[in-house]
């Protein structure tokens, strides 16, 4: 019998959140870092304001589950924070990525 006790989301190598320094263009926070089977998680993506930033792509990748989306950015005029909800996560570990 397979256990369906929880879902672990990882942002890059670290679970939970990654801090953004002045030199970084992007950071991801996942809340909660661990959720129940068929649970939901919120992704908070912080993007530096830069004229070169035109598209934000985020991905949640794991066993038997993949979700991604993209949003157009308006360079230096774009908001800094973006929030996304992922729902009905199956059991397993997931990589969470965001790129600009």
């Amino acid at each position: 019998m397979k256990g369906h006790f929880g879902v672990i989301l990882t942002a890059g190598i670290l679970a939970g959140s990654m801090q953004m320094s002045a030199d970084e263009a992007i950071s991801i926070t996942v809340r909660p870092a661990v959720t129940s089977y068929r649970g939901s998680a919120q992704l908070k993506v912080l993007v530096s304001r830069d004229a070169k930033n035109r598209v934000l792509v985020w991905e949640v990748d794991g066993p038997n589950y993949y979700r991604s989306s993209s949003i157009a950015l308006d360079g230096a005029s774009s908001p800094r924070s973006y929030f996304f909800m992922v729902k009905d996560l199956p059991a397993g570990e997931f990589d969470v990525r965001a790129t600009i």
Side-chain angles (χ1 to χ4, degrees):
M1 179 173 141
K2 288 188 177 182
H4 295 282
F5 299 108
V7 174
I8 299 171
L9 299 171
T10 58
I13 298 172
L14 304 175
S17 67
M18 296 169 51
Q19 296 299 318
M20 185 176 193
S21 72
D23 297 332
E24 292 180 284
I26 196 165
S27 74
I28 307 168
T29 304
V30 178
R31 298 278 190 250
V34 178
T35 187
S36 62
Y37 174 67
R38 294 315 229 189
S40 298
Q42 182 183 56
L43 311 180
K44 177 182 177 184
V45 181
L46 296 178
V47 178
S48 65
R49 292 186 175 121
D50 189 305
K52 297 179 285 186
N53 296 345
R54 294 297 173 183
V55 176
L56 168 64
V57 177
W58 63 267
E59 302 170 276
V60 176
D61 190 6
N64 304 315
Y65 185 90
Y66 179 82
R67 182 164 176 211
S68 70
S69 187
S70 63
I71 184 170
L73 302 180
D74 192 20
S77 300
S78 294
R80 191 157 185 269
S81 301
Y82 297 88
F83 298 89
F84 307 98
M85 185 66 76
V86 288
K87 298 180 180 181
D88 296 324
L89 290 163
E93 250 185 80
F94 300 85
D95 290 321
V96 179
R97 295 180 292 271
T99 55
I100 49 174

